Amino acid sequence: MNDHLRTVIVAPMTTGSHPARFRIPVTFQGKPGLIALDQIAPSTASGSSSEWGPCERPR
């Protein structure tokens, strides 16, 4: 399905924020941080020129 959509949802990752119910803890490229779901935004799929890679949710 993702191959056919022209819009993706983008949520920024921050390393200097405080935890909250709407901020998901993750590790990306070895750095712990939070996904800021309170700042999601739509973007065109063609606007993203590269893949950043997977992130891991800490246990």
Side-chain angles (χ1 to χ4, degrees), residues 22-51:
F22 47 83
R23 298 212 167 159
I24 310 300
V26 295
T27 300
F28 179 70
Q29 294 182 348
K31 271 191 173 174
L34 300 168
I35 299 294
L37 294 179
D38 55 321
Q39 297 180 20
I40 62 172
S43 178
T44 60
S46 61
S48 175
S49 61
S50 65
E51 289 186 26

